[in-house]
Amino acid sequence: MAPALSFIIGIIGNVISIMFFASPMKTFREVVKKKSTGEYEVVPYITTLLCTNIWMFYGFRKPGGLLIITVNAAGAILQFIYITLFLIYSPLHKKVKTVKLAIIFNIGFLGSAIAVPSVTGVVLGSAQMILYSIYRNKSKVENQVKIGQNDHGAKNMIEVSVYKETSDEQEQKPVNIACNRPGSIV
């Protein structure tokens, strides 16, 4: 029952989000009617396009992200239409600014969102391979610390054993170092 309820709430959220994305339609009807953008700015539409693109990227990577993809695809289409209308009806200096912002925000940001993890993976993978090649033939040392009891039953002796692995099939022999705690009876 819970997954069905979650899906229904997701559909309701999508409807509300699409209404949000459609809210500038009245503004753009006015722009088309006047054949001028007037004092309107394009920045909110470009940033919303960026936001919808990022959410779609997340939706594609998330299992079961269909609701995320559908609502943000609808939002991206509407924002693209708004930006296109803005480019058609704005003066030349606003067109140049719009194209620059669209390239910087959308292409630049999404490119970096893909490039940064890739570059980080290459650097860390290279470091891992270098460390492996340095340490692959080194012998392993294992330290073992034991607290022993003397004949009186008191825990007052510490025994340290060091094992060294060898590449040939020799028997490993511990090197024992015993030390008494101060004030203990030996």
Side-chain angles (χ1 to χ4, degrees), residues 42-83:
V42 73
V43 175
Y45 310 108
I46 292 176
T47 54
T48 305
L49 179 62
L50 171 65
C51 185
T52 57
N53 286 336
I54 292 170
W55 276 106
M56 280 193 318
F57 179 72
Y58 170 74
F60 281 120
R61 298 190 50 88
K62 182 184 184 315
L66 179 65
L67 291 175
I68 297 169
I69 295 167
T70 55
V71 70
N72 287 292
I77 291 168
L78 287 171
Q79 299 309 311
F80 182 77
I81 291 169
Y82 300 151
I83 293 168

Side-chain angles (χ1 to χ4, degrees), residues 9 19 35 65 83 130 139:
I9 291 172
M19 288 169 44
K35 300 195 183 307
I83 293 168
I130 290 168
S139 60

Side-chain angles (χ1 to χ4, degrees), residues 10-20 71:
I11 295 289
I12 293 169
N14 278 7
V15 169
I16 293 169
S17 294
I18 290 174
M19 288 169 44
F20 167 75
V71 70

Side-chain angles (χ1 to χ4, degrees), residues 74-112:
I77 291 168
L78 287 171
Q79 299 309 311
F80 182 77
I81 291 169
Y82 300 151
I83 293 168
T84 303
L85 289 172
F86 195 90
L87 285 171
I88 292 170
Y89 294 109
S90 64
L92 183 60
H93 71 281
K94 281 191 175 183
K95 288 179 184 179
V96 172
K97 179 182 173 185
T98 302
V99 170
K100 285 181 184 178
L101 285 174
I103 289 172
I104 290 169
F105 281 152
N106 292 298
I107 297 170
F109 186 81
L110 289 176
S112 66

Side-chain angles (χ1 to χ4, degrees), residues 74-175:
I77 291 168
L78 287 171
Q79 299 309 311
F80 182 77
I81 291 169
Y82 300 151
I83 293 168
T84 303
L85 289 172
F86 195 90
L87 285 171
I88 292 170
Y89 294 109
S90 64
L92 183 60
H93 71 281
K94 281 191 175 183
K95 288 179 184 179
V96 172
K97 179 182 173 185
T98 302
V99 170
K100 285 181 184 178
L101 285 174
I103 289 172
I104 290 169
F105 281 152
N106 292 298
I107 297 170
F109 186 81
L110 289 176
S112 66
I114 294 168
V116 169
S118 299
V119 170
T120 304
V122 167
V123 169
L124 292 177
S126 299
Q128 183 178 9
M129 294 303 292
I130 290 168
L131 288 172
Y132 174 76
S133 66
I134 291 171
Y135 291 106
R136 71 177 173 187
N137 293 326
K138 302 288 182 187
S139 60
K140 296 179 182 175
V141 176
E142 181 182 320
N143 293 331
Q144 194 175 45
V145 177
K146 294 181 182 177
I147 299 177
Q149 295 181 352
N150 64 5
D151 295 337
H152 305 290
K155 292 182 180 178
N156 64 355
M157 188 172 66
I158 298 175
E159 181 181 312
V160 177
S161 300
V162 178
Y163 294 91
K164 184 174 183 181
E165 283 187 12
T166 56
S167 58
D168 51 2
E169 305 260 336
Q170 296 177 354
E171 183 181 334
Q172 296 180 359
K173 295 183 179 179
V175 178

Side-chain angles (χ1 to χ4, degrees), residues 8 36 39 167 173:
I8 291 169
S36 172
E39 296 297 317
S167 58
K173 295 183 179 179

